[in-house]
């Protein structure tokens, strides 16, 4: 009898130890994707434009002629080339992409804040947050 219980406990322990977790751990920070668009350079460069310029800036580039687009990109390359040597290194490009993504996040947070701060006092009370977030349900 004792042997059967021990065998049962070991079997359950082995199954639990080998099982894969089924739920996503929310305490793990994950980086946001560079773009929500499909990354397929054979079809379009929309993903690259979003990652390189940020979503809002990429939308404005879609409205430009090819000549205007080249001119504006030339100005941006000057900003990316931090050491001014006329070349963009991988590190400079990564830093620019991170800068563009952070800028978009900060601008989005500002928009969200304004949308929640209904009385425009610079603070978001629980009532304002609840009304802005769940108001349509209540």
């Amino acid at each position: 009898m004792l042997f059967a219980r021990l065998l049962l406990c070991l079997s359950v322990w082995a199954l639990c130890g080998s099982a894969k977790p089924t739920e996503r751990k929310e305490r793990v920070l994950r980086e946001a994707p560079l773009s929500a668009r499909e990354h397929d350079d054979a079809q379009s460069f929309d993903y690259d434009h979003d990652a390189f310029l940020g979503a809002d800036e990429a939308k404005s580039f879609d409205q430009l002629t090819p000549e205007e687009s080249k001119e504006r990109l030339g100005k941006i390359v000057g900003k990316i080339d931090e050491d001014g040597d006329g070349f963009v290194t991988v590190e400079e490009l990564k830093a620019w992409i991170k800068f563009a993504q952070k800028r978009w996040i900060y601008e989005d947070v500002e928009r969200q804040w304004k949308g929640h701060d209904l009385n425009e006092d610079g603070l978001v009370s629980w009532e304002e947050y609840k009304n802005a977030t769940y108001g349509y349900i209540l």
Side-chain angles (χ1 to χ4, degrees):
M1 182 73 171
L2 181 62
F3 178 72
R5 286 185 181 175
L6 182 61
L7 185 59
L8 179 62
C9 287
L10 285 173
S11 299
V12 170
W13 178 76
L15 285 172
C16 290
S18 65
K20 293 182 180 177
T22 56
E23 65 184 67
R24 184 177 173 163
K25 302 289 184 190
E26 293 304 321
R27 68 178 181 263
V28 177
L29 296 177
R30 302 186 197 300
E31 288 188 22
L34 294 176
S35 173
R37 298 181 186 220
E38 184 72 25
H39 191 195
D40 183 4
D41 289 340
Q43 298 295 321
S44 75
F45 295 108
D46 291 338
Y47 177 91
D48 300 321
H49 291 167
D50 278 6
F52 186 73
L53 300 168
D56 292 338
E57 190 73 18
K59 286 178 189 172
S60 69
F61 266 76
D62 291 342
Q63 310 302 319
L64 300 175
T65 66
E67 293 78 23
E68 292 171 322
S69 183
K70 285 180 184 178
E71 181 183 331
R72 289 197 44 199
L73 281 172
K75 292 176 183 175
I76 292 172
V77 168
K79 295 177 184 177
I80 298 169
D81 182 18
E82 293 177 346
D83 59 10
D85 66 353
F87 298 96
V88 175
T89 65
V90 172
E91 289 76 26
E92 289 171 331
L93 187 57
K94 284 181 182 179
W96 176 262
I97 291 171
K98 286 181 182 180
F99 166 77
Q101 292 300 307
K102 285 180 182 178
R103 183 181 61 199
W104 182 85
I105 290 169
Y106 290 136
E107 289 171 357
D108 188 52
V109 167
E110 187 65 30
R111 278 191 298 270
Q112 293 289 330
W113 189 268
K114 288 178 182 176
H116 286 75
D117 184 15
L118 302 175
N119 65 1
E120 299 178 358
D121 66 350
L123 304 170
V124 176
S125 69
W126 173 245
E127 272 307 305
E128 288 174 315
Y129 176 79
K130 188 171 65 174
N131 287 335
T133 303
Y134 305 110
Y136 64 93
I137 296 172
L138 301 173

